[in-house]
Amino acid sequence: MRKFMDEDFLLSGDTAKELFGKVKDLPIIDYHCHVPPREIASDKRYSNIAELWLGGDHYKWRAVRSTGIPEKYVTGDASDYEKFRAYASVMPKLIGNPLYHWTHLELRRYFGCELILSPETCDEIWELTTKLLATDDFTVKNIIRRSNVEVICTTDDPADNLEFHREIARDKSFKTRVYPAWRPDRGMNIEAGGYRSYIEKLSFASDVRITSIDKLFEAYRKRLDFFEAAGCRVADHGLDVYHRYVKPDLYHADEIFKEALASNGGISDPDKIALFKSEMFRFFGREYVSRGWVMQVHFGVNRNANSKMYSSIGPDTGFDTIGGTVSVTELSRLFDMMELSGGLPRTILYPINPSDNEAVAALTGCFQTSGDGKPRMLQGSAWWFSDTLDGMRRQMKSLASLSVFGDFLGMLTDSRSFTSYPRHEYFRRILCDIMGEWIDEGLYPSGRDAEKIARKICYQNAKDYFKF
């Protein structure tokens, strides 16, 4: 029986251990996350581990709720200590859940604590971490430095003023580069309420009076320029409710946009939604191509499945789930339309449903026509509900079977927590174990090529692909 989380955790053979030794200390490029730039700019200090861990982590919230603990101890008015004790009480039940591994990796890597979190150790861990969080080692910038993070891409609305990114850039003692990432969903989602209010906000930010789709494009171009000046080179689109795509039609897209403005959103006709979003993707695709940006597309989420809790505590609180499998035929039509109009940028696809892994990996092979030495389209790392030990292994194996594994961009945190970076270690261990298995079974030769692939997946591919 092996010791829990020993030095060779997740590494099943000597080859895997040797590979991990080559990649474990590589810098981290976190090209998609949700950490707040405000807290980096202010070099925030956390008063206790509940504030650090539980303040916005819906993964942990779901786990606590799933054991029947009242919402008071999740997002309610319980004290930070009471919320941490609730999480500690759940921890022994989480066998097989990645939260168990992530939690103990964070305790070890940041706090040097090898205690197993449980109701019995809760108070000792609370006191230890509270004392350490009061030291200078645990300001946000120092957590990032200690994590060996080279690049962070936050997630930002086109109307954001990016003041915190500018403030971070002015601190020459802080070497990690923090760039905005363009997330234009609110301007595309004409089915959502409050649409006119958002367009007014975008008008103010761009200094463009937006009354037509042409003016919308003008406003977006100005904001794209603004983001590009701040170092942005990646866009992120969330297709939460997947709609079919049709041939763009600028005239009718303009009529639909004006209808959405007049009604403040809430457009329900699927044909109108499809036409408008097709036109928007065509516009954005051309802009990304001209700027050399990468487009990320996350899809398949069923948002706010519990409408009562959504009404009570809002979005992104742990009530989203895996949607149905996506029609790869519809995705291919979207990308074909963008290709025909000269607007298919480098693209990364993230299906939330693991049943889509093979279909998406195969789809990427249909659009590898860039000719510049870099793949035009890639499947991203296992996302959200698939970001598990088994989920990552399945995703990497299917990707290797159907595409070019050596070009894989590796891990991202997709997190709101500054102590989530050990997830990169978790990924690297799983990657090296898979590659070690293939080598030990005689499916790939040992040597420099294997080491090169592991190093590129863990670091260099992302650096080169995004041109960081």
Side-chain angles (χ1 to χ4, degrees):
M1 181 176 66
R2 290 176 58 168
K3 181 182 176 183
F4 172 65
M5 206 173 278
D6 63 9
E7 182 181 354
D8 297 327
F9 175 56
L10 297 177
L11 304 172
S12 57
D14 290 340
T15 306
K17 297 170 189 176
E18 183 179 349
L19 279 174
F20 181 66
K22 303 293 186 181
V23 303
K24 65 184 180 68
D25 295 323
L26 289 173
I28 289 171
I29 293 181
D30 198 18
Y31 53 89
H32 175 71
C33 71
H34 299 277
V35 295
R38 175 195 296 270
E39 294 184 6
I40 305 176
S42 65
D43 205 12
K44 180 183 172 77
R45 294 174 184 264
Y46 294 92
S47 58
N48 58 63
I49 196 168
E51 183 186 7
L52 175 66
W53 272 5
L54 303 174
D57 192 334
H58 54 76
Y59 288 77
K60 294 185 177 75
W61 293 349
R62 286 172 67 97
V64 175
R65 288 189 193 111
S66 294
T67 63
I69 292 174
E71 191 67 25
K72 171 183 178 179
Y73 300 99
V74 183
T75 62
D77 60 1
S79 69
D80 284 350
Y81 170 75
E82 289 174 316
K83 291 177 179 177
F84 182 68
R85 175 159 281 282
Y87 184 58
S89 74
V90 173
M91 187 55 51
K93 301 179 182 181
L94 291 179
I95 184 170
N97 190 305
L99 279 174
Y100 198 86
H101 295 152
W102 297 345
T103 294
H104 290 99
L105 279 173
E106 291 179 32
L107 284 174
R108 294 183 178 202
R109 300 299 179 255
Y110 292 108
F111 300 100
C113 176
E114 296 199 7
L115 293 171
I116 305 302
L117 182 58
S118 69
E120 291 71 33
T121 61
C122 173
D123 287 356
E124 186 175 355
I125 292 173
W126 175 267
E127 291 171 8
L128 169 68
T129 55
T130 299
K131 185 180 296 184
L132 288 172
L133 284 168
T135 68
D136 287 343
D137 284 345
F138 284 87
T139 66
V140 163
K141 288 182 179 179
N142 280 334
I143 290 173
I144 294 171
R145 289 185 180 104
R146 291 170 60 198
S147 304
N148 196 21
V149 183
E150 186 173 300
V151 176
I152 295 172
C153 293
T154 59
T155 303
D156 308 276
D157 188 272
D160 288 351
N161 62 20
L162 305 184
E163 60 176 307
F164 301 115
H165 292 85
R166 294 195 297 273
E167 186 175 342
I168 294 165
R170 286 194 291 268
D171 181 359
K172 302 306 179 185
S173 69
F174 185 61
K175 302 304 181 183
T176 302
R177 288 166 286 160
V178 181
Y179 299 130
W182 174 269
R183 183 71 179 251
D185 295 358
R186 293 181 68 188
M188 293 183 69
N189 292 343
I190 56 173
E191 70 273 18
Y195 187 76
R196 181 175 61 246
S197 301
Y198 173 72
I199 295 300
E200 289 171 354
K201 182 179 179 181
L202 183 63
S203 290
F204 179 81
S206 62
D207 196 26
V208 175
R209 184 169 176 265
I210 303 173
T211 56
S212 66
I213 199 166
D214 285 338
K215 287 296 182 181
L216 180 64
F217 292 165
E218 179 184 344
Y220 272 132
R221 286 191 185 98
K222 292 183 69 172
R223 299 308 294 169
L224 284 160
D225 290 342
F226 181 72
F227 270 59
E228 191 166 38
C232 180
R233 59 202 73 182
V234 58
D236 183 40
H237 291 256
L239 297 181
D240 293 341
V241 180
Y242 189 75
H243 301 286
R244 64 182 178 84
Y245 286 85
V246 299
K247 182 178 179 181
D249 177 339
L250 186 60
Y251 176 81
H252 288 102
D254 182 56
E255 289 188 335
I256 295 164
F257 172 70
K258 290 173 180 175
E259 179 184 346
L261 273 184
S263 63
N264 201 20
I267 301 295
S268 59
D269 185 331
D271 292 331
K272 292 180 178 179
I273 293 169
L275 194 154
F276 179 76
K277 290 191 176 185
S278 295
E279 194 62 64
M280 294 304 297
F281 265 107
R282 183 168 68 164
F283 165 75
F284 282 126
R286 287 173 168 174
E287 290 294 324
Y288 301 154
V289 168
S290 70
R291 298 165 192 274
W293 285 18
V294 175
M295 179 177 73
Q296 300 181 100
V297 183
H298 293 77
F299 55 88
V301 183
N302 178 20
R303 296 278 183 184
N304 308 312
N306 187 328
S307 59
K308 179 179 179 180
M309 293 305 295
Y310 171 70
S311 298
S312 175
I313 59 177
D316 303 321
T317 52
F319 298 98
D320 302 331
T321 187
I322 298 172
T325 58
V326 166
S327 167
V328 173
T329 301
E330 292 295 334
L331 274 178
S332 69
R333 290 179 63 201
L334 167 64
F335 299 134
D336 186 53
M337 175 272 291
M338 296 174 74
E339 174 86 312
L340 288 169
S341 63
L344 183 62
R346 291 181 182 174
T347 300
I348 309 170
L349 304 179
Y350 303 88
I352 198 168
N353 193 320
S355 299
D356 290 325
N357 279 338
E358 285 82 1
V360 169
L363 174 64
T364 63
C366 298
F367 294 95
Q368 305 295 24
T369 55
S370 62
D372 65 355
K374 295 287 188 298
R376 171 83 71 87
M377 187 174 288
L378 294 166
Q379 183 179 2
S381 61
W383 177 43
W384 200 343
F385 293 104
S386 295
D387 186 11
T388 64
L389 174 57
D390 290 338
M392 283 192 277
R393 289 182 67 88
R394 288 196 303 269
Q395 185 268 340
M396 283 191 263
K397 287 187 173 184
S398 69
L399 179 63
S401 297
L402 294 163
S403 188
V404 180
F405 193 56
D407 285 335
F408 184 33
L409 296 180
M411 185 59 173
L412 44 83
T413 62
D414 192 30
S415 173
R416 291 166 172 79
S417 170
F418 290 102
T419 54
S420 290
Y421 294 110
R423 296 182 191 180
H424 283 259
E425 176 187 340
Y426 195 62
F427 168 88
R428 290 173 181 183
R429 288 177 178 272
I430 296 168
L431 167 71
C432 291
D433 193 56
I434 292 171
M435 290 185 61
E437 287 176 6
W438 289 335
I439 293 167
D440 289 344
E441 292 170 5
L443 301 175
Y444 193 86
S446 62
R448 294 183 63 185
D449 283 346
E451 177 186 332
K452 183 178 179 180
I453 287 174
R455 291 178 64 88
K456 285 174 73 68
I457 290 173
C458 292
Y459 171 70
Q460 195 65 45
N461 282 347
K463 186 178 180 70
D464 293 344
Y465 200 71
F466 294 98
K467 301 180 182 178
F468 289 136

